[in-house]
Amino acid sequence: MHFLETFAGTYDVFLKGMLLTFQLTFVSVLIAIVIGLFFAFLKISGIKPLSLIADLYIFVVRGTPLIVQIFIFYFGLTSLNISGFWSVIMGLAFHNGAYIAEIFRGAIQSIDKGQMEAGRSLGMSLGLSMRRIILPQAFRRALPPLGNQFIIALKDSSLASFIGMFELFSVATTLGSNNFDYMTYLLVVAIYYLVLVLLFSTIVNVIEKRMSISD
């Protein structure tokens, strides 16, 4: 009963935190997709300096904790009068972009090279062949791992609580501290995260099915 009363009595505060969590995740992943696609192109460009830049970026992201990256972006960007909200988003985008770059790289390289050659033989430029032939197929293949990365980004957004963002995890720890009952509020916030993960997973599955039908 105590758990249900706590859940019902705090839904308005948690919904505000959930909205901020969704905003942090959605916007950062959109930016990360652009970053990832850019570095994926660098990596498969065949130009050594460009591929080395992509390799260095991915190495740095994989080799340092996300919390460190968020703090670097936060203190670096806020010193330039950029809000904490956008600082966290850029930190999350910087981190997720490296993993999305590898997802896109693998998806693009999985497309038969003959399709690019066929496009070029029809008079298409390299960019046009990539945009009309390769990328649509690569995106379909990349969608499942992109969906997984979106869910990972959702859970990683909880680290924003360490720099004062009042997202889901911060709501739970603040209420837990005020009421001397961390366990109940952590169980409540776990349910909100599960609901968001279920929602995003359902959306990705629907998109996958629609794309398979269009094929």
Side-chain angles (χ1 to χ4, degrees):
M1 287 296 295
H2 172 63
F3 174 81
L4 293 177
E5 290 174 357
T6 301
F7 188 89
T10 58
Y11 75 92
D12 54 338
V13 183
F14 274 105
L15 284 178
K16 290 179 181 177
M18 187 165 67
L19 177 61
L20 180 55
T21 293
F22 175 79
Q23 290 173 331
L24 290 172
T25 304
F26 185 75
V27 177
S28 64
V29 169
L30 284 182
I31 297 173
I33 288 174
V34 176
I35 294 172
L37 194 57
F38 173 75
F39 281 99
F41 283 138
L42 291 188
K43 193 156 185 177
I44 65 175
S45 65
I47 302 173
K48 189 99 175 178
L50 297 182
S51 61
L52 285 175
I53 291 172
D55 287 336
L56 178 61
Y57 163 61
I58 293 169
F59 172 76
V60 168
V61 169
R62 287 178 170 177
T64 56
L66 172 56
I67 188 66
V68 174
Q69 297 166 22
I70 288 176
F71 268 75
I72 289 173
F73 272 88
Y74 177 75
F75 288 109
L77 294 180
T78 53
S79 66
L80 301 175
N81 295 321
I82 296 175
S83 68
F85 175 79
W86 283 105
S87 301
V88 172
I89 282 178
M90 293 311 300
L92 291 171
F94 175 81
H95 179 82
N96 287 287
Y99 295 93
I100 292 176
E102 286 291 83
I103 291 171
F104 277 132
R105 178 197 59 78
I108 291 172
Q109 290 184 331
S110 70
I111 307 299
D112 193 297
K113 292 181 179 179
Q115 297 198 38
M116 174 62 79
E117 295 172 357
R120 298 303 300 277
S121 67
L122 292 174
M124 293 184 183
S125 65
L126 180 64
L128 187 61
S129 299
M130 179 65 71
R131 190 171 73 250
R132 290 190 176 179
I133 299 175
I134 305 300
L135 284 182
Q137 298 179 73
F139 182 77
R140 290 188 183 93
R141 297 187 183 187
L143 188 57
L146 281 177
N148 290 335
Q149 193 62 40
F150 195 97
I151 291 171
I152 292 170
L154 166 67
K155 292 182 287 186
D156 285 344
S157 69
S158 61
L159 295 176
S161 63
F162 288 94
I163 54 173
M165 302 294 291
F166 205 56
E167 44 68 64
L168 273 176
F169 183 69
S170 182
V171 170
T173 54
T174 301
L175 292 176
S177 175
N178 292 341
N179 294 278
F180 304 101
D181 186 10
Y182 279 102
M183 182 57 70
T184 300
Y185 289 99
L186 289 174
L187 291 174
V188 170
V189 79
I191 292 176
Y192 281 97
Y193 277 114
L194 287 172
V195 169
L196 282 176
V197 169
L198 178 61
L199 174 64
F200 293 151
S201 299
T202 302
I203 292 173
V204 171
N205 289 335
V206 169
I207 295 174
E208 283 186 55
K209 288 180 181 179
R210 288 188 176 181
M211 284 190 166
S212 64
I213 291 174
S214 65
D215 288 342

